[in-house]
Amino acid sequence: MGAIRSAEGGPLRRTASRAARVVRAPFRGAARGIRRATHAHGAGESGLAKLIELHAVNSAGDMLITVALASTVFFSVPTDQARGRVALYLAVTMAPFTLLAPVIGPLLDRLPHGRRAAMAGAMLTRAVLAVTMSGAVATGGLELYPAALGVLVASKAYGVVRSAVVPRLMPPRIALVKANSRVTLGGLLATGLAAPVAAGLHQVGPQWPLYGACAVFAFGTYLSLSLPATVDSAKGEVRALLHAPEQRGRARRGRLRSMRRPKGPGLRTVGASVLHGLQANGALRMLSGFLTFFLAFLLRVHPLDGLGPALSLGVVVAAAGGGNALGTAMGALLRSRGPEKTIALVLTVALASAVLAAALYNAVFVVLVAAVAGIAQALGKQSLDSLIQRDVPEQVRTSAFARSETLLQMCWVVGGAIGIVLPLNGVVGMSVAAAFLALGAATAVRGLLAAARRGSPHPRVA
């Protein structure tokens, strides 16, 4: 009997083993494909691949928290109440953020040897706050908002350090725009994968996406500390001097000594490209915030032709997300070293799409504006990051990223606030969107093209 069982057990075990290999094969194949993509063109050797993977984890965690908050603040109540809750959320979180955000850059500037620890701290902070919010997310109580502010500040701190780290991990064969695009694309893919997972966890309970976020950010803490040691290198860096050292009342001899003394680089020395890039990206970020809230409320009341409110919102979100992914992929394939021209082009195309949507308002043009906005924001932000990485001296680059992120975040809030208070009329909404894009184009496009002709004031040394 034992021999019979042994003879029968062998084929059964082999069959089970083959079945297990068949089940695991797609996952192993996907993992190998992802690894090849993230490690391509020297990214594995330089350490950029690890940063791409870390950013994917960061984006997945942010999506889990976003789904948890959206289900509480937006979807759980009627439209009128939802507008009030969203306005309260913006006021309670963004008003303190404007005070805290300018501190992030200078603080991180003082930690050139602690960039990995700073990223790990941002991850760990969000892991703890995710658990803190899990008790309040079901009720939507006011205690939810301070925790959401903490998540926002930690997320921006991570983003500032991540942007400053990219040049240190960039392989010599990859341009700045392409390196930024690969990092962003990894985050977008992770966001797309995390969204259905978050929705499924929400079906179990409103707090479960936050439990998932806690686990994801805890893993991100480990990945942050495992980045290459070059991330923490401060070779050649000095304390940034953002103001001239001489004072008006100093004696002439002291002034002459001060003039001969080497000065630290300041943010005012970077030229026109970064300034005009910020202006253009501010208009694009206003468009993003405006469309996020205006279309979310508009489509609940006036859905697209032949579609229900939920499906209408899903189509527009898919168009915006697809556009963002397409713009990121385009940036990854971009070989041009003229980010000024890219920013000017995407701003002009976004303006044209908004004008068409205002003049010929229908479902097709609503989807078109959402897709173009996604493409424009992705390419515009990647190009702006490249300008800062190219033109801003390394000693103050972290501060520059912090200030730019703060400005863009506030532009998004202003656009979102306009979208909340505006009457729910599609033609009016698209006309307002075209108006602030036109203002951005009038302010920035000519200066960007002129700066592109002049070239960089601080050429990057490979």
Side-chain angles (χ1 to χ4, degrees):
M1 292 294 292
I4 294 175
R5 282 197 300 271
S6 177
E8 291 177 349
L12 287 176
R13 282 195 297 271
R14 286 194 294 273
T15 302
S17 178
R18 282 196 297 269
R21 285 196 298 271
V22 169
V23 171
R24 289 195 299 266
F27 298 99
R28 287 181 175 176
R32 284 195 295 268
I34 292 172
R35 185 172 181 81
R36 281 197 300 270
T38 57
H39 285 64
H41 304 106
E45 292 80 2
S46 70
L48 182 65
K50 289 189 175 182
L51 183 63
I52 295 172
E53 293 163 359
L54 173 63
H55 189 60
V57 170
N58 173 81
S59 300
D62 280 344
M63 172 52 66
L64 289 164
I65 289 184
T66 299
V67 169
L69 291 176
S71 63
T72 300
V73 175
F74 181 76
F75 290 107
S76 62
V77 294
T79 301
D80 291 340
Q81 295 182 34
R83 295 179 86 170
R85 281 196 178 191
V86 171
L88 177 64
Y89 173 80
L90 289 178
V92 171
T93 58
M94 295 302 171
F97 179 75
T98 59
L99 301 176
L100 293 174
V103 180
I104 295 175
L107 177 62
L108 295 175
D109 274 339
R110 296 173 181 271
L111 299 172
H113 296 286
R115 294 188 180 104
R116 288 183 294 181
M119 298 174 86
M123 292 282 182
L124 184 60
T125 297
R126 283 178 286 173
V128 173
L129 290 174
V131 176
T132 303
M133 288 191 293
S134 63
V137 73
T139 62
L142 289 179
E143 63 271 20
L144 182 69
Y145 298 108
L149 170 63
V151 169
L152 177 63
V153 171
S155 179
K156 292 306 175 185
Y158 160 82
V160 167
V161 180
R162 189 263 300 173
S163 296
V165 161
V166 170
R168 290 190 167 276
L169 300 179
M170 191 176 66
R173 289 178 288 173
I174 298 180
L176 278 171
V177 173
K178 189 170 183 178
N180 289 325
S181 300
R182 290 179 65 176
V183 175
T184 306
L185 185 58
L188 285 174
L189 292 174
T191 298
L193 293 173
V197 174
L201 290 173
H202 179 68
Q203 296 302 314
V204 179
Q207 71 276 17
W208 279 95
L210 294 170
Y211 294 152
C214 177
V216 169
F217 285 129
F219 181 56
T221 303
Y222 164 75
L223 289 181
S224 299
L225 297 174
S226 67
L227 288 172
T230 53
V231 169
D232 286 339
S233 173
K235 184 178 181 180
E237 294 187 19
V238 297
R239 181 74 57 81
L241 298 178
L242 302 184
H243 302 284
E246 57 264 54
Q247 300 175 359
R248 290 184 179 179
R250 187 175 296 175
R252 185 173 182 274
R253 182 183 302 176
R255 286 201 302 269
L256 291 175
R257 280 200 308 268
S258 175
M259 292 172 65
R260 289 194 296 267
R261 187 185 305 141
K263 298 178 184 179
L267 295 180
R268 299 171 184 173
T269 66
V270 299
S273 293
V274 173
L275 172 63
H276 293 304
L278 273 171
Q279 292 168 341
N281 273 271
L284 292 173
R285 193 61 67 91
M286 280 186 68
L287 176 66
S288 174
F290 175 80
L291 293 179
T292 297
F293 294 105
F294 179 74
L295 292 181
F297 292 119
L298 177 69
L299 297 177
R300 288 183 71 169
V301 179
H302 305 294
L304 301 178
D305 298 337
L307 301 177
L311 187 55
S312 297
L313 186 58
V315 169
V316 171
V317 169
N324 203 307
L326 178 59
T328 302
M330 291 168 63
L333 299 174
L334 208 59
R335 296 180 181 229
S336 170
R337 294 183 180 271
E340 295 96 339
K341 295 179 181 179
T342 300
I343 297 174
L345 176 61
V346 296
L347 179 58
T348 303
V349 172
L351 172 59
S353 69
V355 170
L356 282 174
L360 306 170
Y361 182 81
N362 59 36
V364 173
F365 283 103
V366 170
V367 175
L368 175 66
V369 167
V372 171
I375 295 173
Q377 182 176 323
L379 278 173
K381 182 60 168 65
Q382 292 163 24
S383 298
L384 174 63
D385 286 349
S386 296
L387 286 175
I388 294 175
Q389 291 163 346
R390 185 195 74 185
D391 292 353
V392 177
E394 187 172 17
Q395 295 93 322
V396 290
R397 190 178 291 154
T398 307
S399 293
F401 275 118
R403 295 181 185 186
S404 69
E405 287 291 338
T406 303
L407 175 62
L408 296 181
Q409 186 70 29
M410 295 315 302
C411 288
W412 188 87
V413 172
V414 171
I418 295 172
I420 292 172
V421 302
L422 205 66
L424 298 180
N425 181 289
V427 175
V428 172
M430 294 301 106
S431 299
V432 170
F436 56 70
L437 285 173
L439 179 61
T443 305
V445 169
R446 184 177 178 181
L448 283 167
L449 296 180
R453 288 192 294 269
R454 288 193 300 268
S456 169
H458 295 279
R460 178 180 177 270
V461 179

